[in-house]
């Protein structure tokens, strides 16, 4: 039994300092008994000889210098785990909060995890069919990937994440639908967000395969730093001990980072860009790098972190550093959202870095890569045509550019726009893509081999599909003599 | 012997009080688990140490012991084909010993001491050897002969040689007796402090390109063997892909790829892909010439700082054998941030954006280790350094990009907009530059084509004119431009899409010979000049575009394999036929 210490030397929210402490390790967990008998938790974050600085997760309000009993637990922060976590709800530190009593515990794990050896990783290649065209065709999600949603206040990122959970066949393609699970980590979001997820997961009938860790906006800020770590430790446990394919949804990375900023400034550290600590990159990496697949293990950890970009600014340090760590990003567009399109996924800045090895024959379909390249290239020309139109007026555009403008509208309204309940097969998605490209003159499709075009380019069919008579298209385009 | 113990712990930084045991930059062992650390500052009261591993669980009072040397690694056969962490521990051995996840205090020797190597002794008794002389060779991989060189501080007359044949790395191969009668034993292993550049006879001027097979680099912004280049770009713009392309295809003898604070999966991918790829010249897997250093973003920060030095030390070691080495560092920004983080913990005065004032000098010391050299044993060898830079918010005015620019001579600026359009490699032709072009002009004339640089110049000029015209097009559209300007727009589009864009996933577009690069330029410019004549005669430019000739040339990169240059004749004919209908 370790010593209990009765007095504090100093309280400086969220830190407390003790003196005369012996045999305490860096990062060790601390229990603090308040004068009224209630318990708080903390972690050693600084040691100077026999003086120790402790970060208190629940904050230091009400802690007195006398009458506070501090005991050191002899180990770093751990979480108790067993397969029975599935279907349960916990606080950010892993205490059950669903009223279903204590958890039966198989083993304790350090929530900080350990770096996965690159030679022990399996490079992720299996695509996850989400049924959402803009994702499946253009930013394909791969099992074991970390692919965040970059969003903004008021945009439907939660709906999108839930649609992915409902529709994604993460494990089915491996013939193991019972191996699918979701770990959900709420960090600083409002109660209604957590409720939305709870309700939707229930409606989807998967609640018994979900573990939730909730640190809501009114919960202690410092605990927010632990929440994703607890959640990811659980995900790794289920993936690598129980061979499950785990989808981790973490929301919101921005609130998490702000908690880190608050904590850092309370320690008096030198702030970096926008007040965030210089180690924000490393800290976020210690979360995101925990996605992956381990050699010799049956499961996988796929992460979909949700991040609301302050002021919709993608160059803000939080989305910026995240983008440097994750394997791509799905960016939501305020503009498309305001046009009433769902999901409002901004095609051009969105990217899946792992898709290049996970699409094509054997994975999706042979023509997938060519279609993707061409859609990106053609849609980016739409932007040029639009900005030119805004200067000289649409009427003055060249015939080709007018066609791009029309293509852009059709693309946004029919391909990107899909609705929260619609689940498209990959074949439908790819065929739809080709139909849209067929609205453009064939010579414009310069990213695609002629043989592929011979097979997939068919403007007549496209006109029929979108119910445009060629004449009416011509008239709509205001063209003469074609 | 004093009993030195840990006094304070703050993340990766610990202090020892009131001691004079240690020297600045000395490597030390920290705690019961003997974690590796380095002394980063010393005052009379406190010695400050940065620890290369996680300090979780470390306690004050645990011992700190001296190693007597600064941060060093073992060098010898077995480095190639291997993957190490930032301080030179082999990751495969660590995985075998401790499983998939890396625990602090993992042990592992850079050089496997049990493996038998086929050694050939290259000296005889009574030969006199000095620092740098080759005394034995080992066929390290099918591609590379490893040359064992007399380490620094050793030399003398050969008094013993082992027999040719299989030996373990620690076995004595040669004994040298120096003038003072002291006998030095040389095995297959030598040690070197990673922050010290290895000596050479002299620096040479270089006039040879590092041929990369990437058109936008080789043609527009080339780099010399021994040169230094930076690839800055926002996230997802293609830094890593470009560096992987260079690692796969460039004509260096040895590749050192340092993943510094980046993704684990990218290292896994490099491991897989490089071993599947076959070197076209030798028919051997590319891993035979490659060593990977992986300090991923979730590994300890201090080791991130070391990984760059570990990489460049290995590069110098192979250079000293007379090889041309290309080193990729992905990303130097993470390295700079590691400096910043440690500096913050040391409570040093920050300069720009929190980076320490010595950022610039550290970058300079690093890039300075690139170069074309005469080695101590009078061979020539070189180190080319290509460093990725990850600017905050993709804004190139930040300190790491700006300071790096002072020490490199090729700047391959990656552009978010181009990446959004999936124009890869997303090298922006207006912002990028290479100061090596003049140096290389003779080489290109003699080895590729007399007109290579002239063609390059024309291409650059057309792209410049296009850039200016685009400003006008943005305001009034292109339809009102005169025909000669329309031609410039159209030919530049062909250059961008048909020449600069290059598909890393295509069978033969992934790597393109200089000869093909030259021919592609020649056909494009042929079309330009012929079309220009027609436009000059007042014939409507529209008639030319209607022939579809621009489209056909755009796709020639996918039609003509590297080994069938005769096929270009068809393309000159295509141009002639298309235009003769109009004339
Ligand atoms: N030359 C290329 N050919 C084809 N695709 C490319 C090319 N370069 C980049 N890409 C695409 O862009 C994606 C991102 O590239 P990459 O990972 O190299 O970016 P990066 O600049 O290293 O980003 P980060 O700074 O976040 O590491 C790749 O996964 C690939 O899909
Ligand atoms: Mg990269």
């Amino acid at each position: 039994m370790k010593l209990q210490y009765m007095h504090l030397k100093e309280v400086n929210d969220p830190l407390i300092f003790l003196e005369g402490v012996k045999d305490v390790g860096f990062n060790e967990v601390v229990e603090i008994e308040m004068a009224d008998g209630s318990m708080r938790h903390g972690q050693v974050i600084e040691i100077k000889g026999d003086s120790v600085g402790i970060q208190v997760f629940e904050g230091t309000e009400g802690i007195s210098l006398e009458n506070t009993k501090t005991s050191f637990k002899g180990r770093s922060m751990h979480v108790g785990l067993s397969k029975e976590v599935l279907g349960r709800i916990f606080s950010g530190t892993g205490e059950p909060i669903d009223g279903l009593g204590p958890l039966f515990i198989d083993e304790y794990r350090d929530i900080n995890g350990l770096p996965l050896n690159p030679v022990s990783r399996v490079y992720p290649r299996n695509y996850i069919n989400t049924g959402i065209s803009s994702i499946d065709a253009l930013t394909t999600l791969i099992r074991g990937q970390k692919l965040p949603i970059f969003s903004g206040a008021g945009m439907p990122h939660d709906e999108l994440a839930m649609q992915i959970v409902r529709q994604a066949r993460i494990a089915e393609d491996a013939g193991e639908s019972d191996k699918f699970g979701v770990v959900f980590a709420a960090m600083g979001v409002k109660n209604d967000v957590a409720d939305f997820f709870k309700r939707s997961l229930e409606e989807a009938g998967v609640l018994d395969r979900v573990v939730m860790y909730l640190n809501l906006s009114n919960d202690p800020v410092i605990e927010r730093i632990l929440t994703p770590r607890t959640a990811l430790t659980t995900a790794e446990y289920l993936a690598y001990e129980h061979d499950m394919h785990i989808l981790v949804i973490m929301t919101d990375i921005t609130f998490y980072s702000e908690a880190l900023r608050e904590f850092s400034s309370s320690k008096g550290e030198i702030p970096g860009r926008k007040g965030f600590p210089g180690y924000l990159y490393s800290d976020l990496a210690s979360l995101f790098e925990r996605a992956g697949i381990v050699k010799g293990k049956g499961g996988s950890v796929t992460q979909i972190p949700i991040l609301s970009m302050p002021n919709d600014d993608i160059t803000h340090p939080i989305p910026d550093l995240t983008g440097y760590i994750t394997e791509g990003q799905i960016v939501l567009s305020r503009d498309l959202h305001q046009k009433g399109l769902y999901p409002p996924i901004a095609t051009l800045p969105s990217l899946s870095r792992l898709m290049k090895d996970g699409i094509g024959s054997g994975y999706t379909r042979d023509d997938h890569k060519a279609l993707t390249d061409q859609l990106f290239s053609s849609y980016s020309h739409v932007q040029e045509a639009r900005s030119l139109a805004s200067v000289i007026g649409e009427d003055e555009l060249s015939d080709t550019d007018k066609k791009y403008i029309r293509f852009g509208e059709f693309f946004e309204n029919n391909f990107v726009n899909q609705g929260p309940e619609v689940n498209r097969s990959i074949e439908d998605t790819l065929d739809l893509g080709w139909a849209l490209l067929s609205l453009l003159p064939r010579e414009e499709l310069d990213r695609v081999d002629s043989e592929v075009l011979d097979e997939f380019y068919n403007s007549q069919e496209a006109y029929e599909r979108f119910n445009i008579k060629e004449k009416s298209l011509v008239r709509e385009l205001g063209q003469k003599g074609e | 012997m004093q009993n030195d113990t840990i006094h304070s712990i703050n993340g990766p930084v610990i202090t020892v009080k009131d001691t004079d045991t240690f020297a600045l930059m000395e490597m030390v062992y920290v705690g019961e688990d003997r974690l590796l650390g380095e002394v980063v500052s010393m005052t009379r009261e406190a010695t400050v140490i940065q620890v290369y591993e996680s300090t979780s669980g470390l306690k004050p009072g645990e011992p700190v012991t001296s190693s007597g040397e600064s941060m060093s690694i073992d060098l010898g056969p077995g480095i190639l084909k291997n993957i190490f962490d930032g301080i030179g521990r082999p990751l495969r051995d660590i995985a075998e010993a401790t499983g998939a996840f890396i625990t602090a205090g993992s042990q592992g020797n850079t050089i496997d001491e049990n493996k038998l190597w086929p050694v050939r002794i290259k000296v005889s008794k009574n030969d006199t050897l000095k620092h740098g002389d080759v005394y034995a060779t080992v066929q390290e991989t099918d591609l590379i002969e490893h040359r064992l060189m007399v380490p620094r501080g050793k030399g003398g007359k050969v008094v013993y040689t082992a027999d040719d044949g299989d030996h373990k790395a620690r076995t004595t191969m040669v004994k040298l007796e120096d003038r003072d009668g002291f006998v030095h034993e040389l095995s297959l292993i030598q040690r070197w402090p990673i922050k010290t550049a290895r000596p050479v006879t002299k620096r040479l001027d270089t006039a040879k390109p590092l041929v990369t097979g990437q058109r936008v680099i080789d043609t527009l912004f080339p780099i010399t063997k021994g040169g230094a280049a930076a690839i800055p770009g926002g996230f997802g713009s293609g830094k890593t892909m470009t560096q992987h392309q260079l690692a796969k295809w460039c004509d260096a003898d040895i590749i050192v790829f340092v993943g510094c604070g980046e993704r684990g999966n990218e290292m896994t991918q490099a491991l897989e892909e490089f071993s599947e790829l076959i070197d076209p010249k030798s028919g051997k897997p590319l891993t035979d010439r490659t060593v990977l250093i992986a300090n991923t973003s979730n590994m300890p920060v201090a080791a991130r700082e070391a990984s760059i030095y570990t990489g460049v030390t290995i590069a110098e070691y192979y250079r000293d054998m007379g090889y041309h080495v290309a080193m990729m560092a992905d990303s130097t920004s993470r390295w700079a941030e590691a400096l910043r983080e440690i500096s913050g913990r040391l409570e040093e005065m920050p300069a720009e954006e929190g980076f320490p004032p010595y950022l610039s000098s550290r970058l300079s010391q690093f890039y300075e280790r690139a170069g074309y050299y005469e080695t101590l044993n009078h061979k020539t060898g070189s180190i080319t350094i290509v460093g990725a830079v990850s600017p905050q918010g993709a804004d190139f005015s930040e300190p790491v990009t700006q300071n790096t620019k002072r020490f490199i001579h090729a700047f391959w600026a990656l552009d978010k907009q181009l990446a959004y359009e999936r124009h890869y490699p997303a090298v922006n032709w207006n912002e990028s530059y290479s100061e090596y072009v003049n140096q290389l002009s003779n080489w290109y004339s003699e080895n590729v084509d007399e007109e290579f640089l002239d063609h390059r110049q024309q291409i650059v000029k057309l792209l410049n004119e296009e850039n200016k015209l685009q400003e006008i097009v943005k305001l009034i559209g292109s339809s009102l431009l005169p025909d000669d300007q329309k031609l410039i727009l159209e030919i530049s589009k062909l250059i961008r899409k048909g020449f600069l864009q290059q598909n890393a996933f295509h069978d033969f577009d992934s790597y393109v010979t200089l000869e093909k690069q030259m021919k592609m330029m020649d056909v494009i410019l042929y079309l330009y000049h012929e079309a220009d004549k027609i436009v000059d005669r007042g014939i409507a430019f529209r008639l030319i575009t209607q022939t579809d000739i621009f489209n056909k040339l755009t796709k020639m990169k996918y039609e003509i394999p590297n080994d069938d240059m005769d096929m270009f004749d068809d393309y000159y004919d295509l141009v002639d036929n298309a235009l003769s209908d109009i004339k």
Side-chain angles (χ1 to χ4, degrees), chain B residues 546-564:
Chain B
Q546 275 170 4
T547 63
D548 209 27
I549 184 69
F550 286 92
N551 240 322
K552 285 186 184 135
L553 291 200
T554 303
K555 291 184 177 171
M556 75 183 154
K557 59 184 175 183
Y558 297 145
E559 310 286 339
I560 307 174
N562 283 311
D563 56 4
D564 195 354

Side-chain angles (χ1 to χ4, degrees), chain B residues 319-377:
Chain B
R319 171 207 62 196
D320 292 345
M321 297 178 203
Y323 290 116
H324 296 290
V325 185
M327 166 165 171
M328 319 290 155
D330 184 15
S331 158
T332 59
S333 293
R334 306 298 164 226
W335 172 66
E337 285 160 12
L339 290 180
R340 177 172 67 186
E341 184 170 339
I342 301 293
S343 161
R345 305 251 184 203
L346 301 180
E347 293 171 8
E348 293 172 341
M349 259 323 254
E352 286 169 289
E353 297 197 15
F355 287 104
Y358 46 80
L359 172 67
S360 180
S361 62
R362 293 287 168 87
L363 281 167
S364 149
Q365 282 159 17
F366 167 58
Y367 282 108
E368 196 57 27
R369 289 169 82 167
Y372 203 95
Y373 296 100
E374 182 181 329
T375 63
L376 290 181
N377 45 42

Side-chain angles (χ1 to χ4, degrees), chain A residues 323-324 353 356, chain B residues 235-241 262-263 424 505:
Chain A
Y324 274 123
R353 294 158 192 259
K356 56 188 190 294
Chain B
F235 61 81
S237 54
K239 300 178 291 295
T240 305
M241 278 286 294
E262 293 287 314
R263 301 172 186 82
Y424 294 124
F505 304 116

Side-chain angles (χ1 to χ4, degrees), chain B residues 67-246:
Chain B
S67 74
E69 61 178 8
S70 51
M71 185 61 211
S72 302
I73 55 166
D74 284 340
L75 298 165
I79 288 177
L80 295 178
K81 284 179 141 161
N82 220 327
I83 173 166
F84 301 99
D85 73 359
I87 44 181
R89 293 180 299 200
L91 286 170
R92 288 195 191 92
D93 296 0
I94 289 182
E96 233 163 76
T98 55
F101 293 90
I102 303 173
T103 49
S106 299
Q107 305 293 326
N109 295 322
T110 307
I111 306 300
D112 184 342
E113 296 182 356
N114 293 315
K115 189 173 165 143
L116 288 169
W117 291 101
V119 180
R120 297 175 61 176
I121 303 292
K122 292 288 174 186
V123 293
S124 325
K125 269 202 194 136
N126 295 325
D127 288 355
T128 306
L129 299 184
K130 58 180 180 4
H131 181 193
D133 288 345
V134 174
Y135 58 86
T137 63
V138 166
Q139 197 65 40
E140 183 175 2
T141 66
D142 287 342
L143 278 179
I144 299 297
E145 177 188 81
H146 192 109
R147 300 170 187 139
L148 294 145
M149 299 162 290
V150 177
R152 178 165 71 175
K154 301 190 175 173
K157 206 164 72 182
V158 176
V159 292
Y160 164 86
T161 63
D163 293 334
D164 284 359
D166 291 352
H167 294 287
K168 290 186 180 177
R170 289 274 173 216
T171 313
T172 300
M173 294 295 122
V174 169
K175 290 183 190 169
L176 302 179
E177 187 180 317
D178 67 20
R179 262 191 239 142
D180 304 328
F182 188 84
V183 176
H184 303 276
E185 302 193 351
L186 312 184
S187 66
L188 301 182
I189 299 180
Q190 61 171 285
R191 264 180 102 64
W192 191 264
I194 59 173
K195 295 194 175 167
T196 309
R198 287 172 61 87
V200 290
T201 299
K202 63 175 184 252
R203 196 181 264 274
L204 304 171
D205 289 336
T206 95
K208 282 186 198 153
L210 182 81
V211 178
T212 67
Q214 312 302 304
R215 289 186 289 266
V216 67
I217 294 179
D218 292 343
T219 299
L220 286 194
F221 311 111
I223 180 169
T224 52
K225 287 203 170 77
I231 316 183
F235 61 81
S237 54
K239 300 178 291 295
T240 305
M241 278 286 294
T242 307
Q243 288 189 316
H244 277 195
Q245 283 296 94
L246 298 198

